[in-house]
Amino acid sequence: MRTYFYLGLLFLIISVGCKGQTPEQKKMMEEIQKNGMEAQRQYDSIVNTPQMKKIAEQTKAFEAQAKIDRDKRTAENQKKNQQPNNPKNDFNKYITSKSNIKKLANWSFGEADIVMTGLTRDQNDPGNKQKIGIVKADGSFDIQLPVKVVTHSSIKDDRWLGCGYFGGKGKIDYSNSNTGVMLGYISIEIDDQLIGRLYMASAIELIEGWNPLQYHYHDIPGYRLEWFYASEETSANGRCVKENRYGEGKDFDITTGYDVQLKPGWNLVKSEFEGPRIFVDWGDGENNKHSYYKEEKITVVNDIPDDAKWIFSKSPY
């Protein structure tokens, strides 16, 4: 601080100039200049020591590393918006087939009944479920879907092929809009007691990461398959946007595109997830950090794809 005082005072006097100085002022200026030069010499002797040079180098290195760390964090945050956080999943509750062949590997429940539920509007109605197959003790099974179904919803009012039920906004165009449709749920029972649900998907993650109450999906790219019945030929085409508003940086939109052409009888409806995502940290640990797909595509496929798997869940929704 003393060094800066002398230097500042010296520059101030020099800026005024020497013209018209009295002998006393000239002497004072020479003294200040002498003291300033001495202060500068002392300052240089301190700054140019090996210790100070080492400190300066360490400071410079620290600032460079800090910039590298900041750039790395920025890149990681940007990457999180495109890639999911993958917490450790517990897949012990699932049993899957090795391919689309109807055989569950490592099946240990013995013989069990395969039933389809949701056949009536009231789940307590005796006709709400129907036996459609058997799982043998070795895990192999076959399914015969019901030939005749009494539908209880039209395609224009069905929650799975519309915008309004899940809070979405958009427009869906229907052909034969009064056609009856129904989504069939497949369960597995032993002695009329539910032991789990049977799904079709490209991987377990497509079941584990699915929230049927909020209509969200997070985890790896892939697809789900579901049996959908139509009483006549009908279609649904359009787009819905579900605006999820949770506040505190947890707002995100999901767009669902429908290109669904249903024929009379049973159809395989495919829900596909891929492309950009948005990262949401719900708090309370790694298992509540998820990346949600911005786009979902709903179509119909003629056959079960080769890479699809049958997936049994011991803990049904």
Side-chain angles (χ1 to χ4, degrees), residues 264-290:
W266 290 101
N267 301 263
L268 268 177
V269 174
K270 181 180 182 182
S271 300
E272 190 170 6
F273 303 89
E274 60 181 1
R277 321 177 195 199
I278 183 167
F279 176 79
V280 179
D281 184 352
W282 298 103
D284 298 327
E286 289 298 308
N287 287 328
N288 282 320
K289 296 179 180 180
H290 299 305

Side-chain angles (χ1 to χ4, degrees), residues 96-105 138-141 310:
T96 72
S97 63
K98 293 183 178 180
S99 65
N100 63 359
I101 302 301
K102 297 183 180 71
K103 184 173 183 179
L104 297 169
D138 65 355
S140 62
F141 63 93
W310 293 89

Side-chain angles (χ1 to χ4, degrees), residues 38-295:
E38 176 62 20
Q40 182 64 47
R41 186 190 66 77
Q42 294 178 3
Y43 174 79
D44 291 341
S45 66
I46 295 174
V47 171
N48 293 324
T49 61
Q51 293 85 353
M52 291 301 296
K53 288 182 178 180
K54 184 177 180 181
I55 292 174
E57 291 173 357
Q58 290 175 341
T59 301
K60 186 176 181 181
F62 175 80
E63 292 175 347
Q65 185 61 49
K67 184 178 184 304
I68 292 173
D69 293 341
R70 287 195 302 271
D71 293 343
K72 182 179 179 181
R73 287 194 297 269
T74 300
E76 288 175 349
N77 290 334
Q78 291 175 346
K79 188 176 180 181
K80 281 182 179 179
N81 289 332
Q82 299 300 324
Q83 296 184 355
N85 179 281
N86 290 320
K88 183 179 180 180
N89 292 313
D90 180 11
F91 291 156
N92 291 331
K93 64 183 179 181
Y94 296 101
I95 300 175
T96 72
S97 63
K98 293 183 178 180
S99 65
N100 63 359
I101 302 301
K102 297 183 180 71
K103 184 173 183 179
L104 297 169
N106 301 317
W107 179 257
S108 61
F109 290 89
E111 189 171 291
D113 294 331
I114 303 174
V115 300
M116 178 171 281
T117 60
L119 300 179
T120 63
R121 188 181 297 275
D122 185 356
Q123 64 178 1
N124 296 318
D125 191 313
N128 185 260
K129 72 176 182 179
Q130 180 178 332
K131 182 177 176 179
I132 62 172
I134 294 176
V135 181
K136 297 179 181 179
D138 65 355
S140 62
F141 63 93
D142 199 4
I143 289 177
Q144 297 294 327
L145 298 174
V147 176
K148 184 67 176 177
V149 175
V150 178
T151 59
H152 47 82
S153 175
S154 66
I155 189 171
K156 68 179 180 180
D157 298 320
D158 185 79
R159 63 175 181 168
W160 299 107
L161 296 178
C163 293
Y165 186 87
F166 293 101
K169 300 177 181 179
K171 186 176 186 298
I172 304 294
D173 293 322
Y174 303 99
S175 65
N176 298 329
S177 60
N178 291 320
T179 298
V181 297
M182 188 204 72
L183 179 65
Y185 299 95
I186 300 178
S187 303
I188 296 183
E189 298 181 350
I190 296 179
D191 297 330
D192 290 327
Q193 297 297 313
L194 179 69
I195 65 169
R197 285 283 309 275
L198 189 62
Y199 301 92
M200 283 182 291
S202 56
I204 293 175
E205 286 85 348
L206 273 294
I207 307 303
E208 177 74 11
W210 172 255
N211 186 329
L213 299 179
Q214 295 178 318
Y215 207 47
H216 298 338
Y217 170 70
H218 64 83
D219 223 312
I220 66 173
Y223 62 86
R224 295 162 51 97
L225 297 170
E226 294 171 296
W227 292 108
F228 212 86
Y229 183 87
S231 60
E232 301 178 24
E233 185 173 320
T234 184
S235 64
N237 295 274
R239 293 173 71 81
C240 298
V241 178
K242 185 174 185 298
E243 299 175 340
N244 300 280
R245 298 293 179 262
Y246 300 100
E248 298 179 353
K250 301 179 179 67
D251 296 341
F252 60 99
D253 295 342
I254 296 176
T255 299
T256 303
Y258 296 92
D259 184 11
V260 177
Q261 314 297 318
L262 299 173
K263 65 181 188 296
W266 290 101
N267 301 263
L268 268 177
V269 174
K270 181 180 182 182
S271 300
E272 190 170 6
F273 303 89
E274 60 181 1
R277 321 177 195 199
I278 183 167
F279 176 79
V280 179
D281 184 352
W282 298 103
D284 298 327
E286 289 298 308
N287 287 328
N288 282 320
K289 296 179 180 180
H290 299 305
S291 291
Y292 296 91
Y293 288 85
K294 294 183 178 181
E295 188 94 16

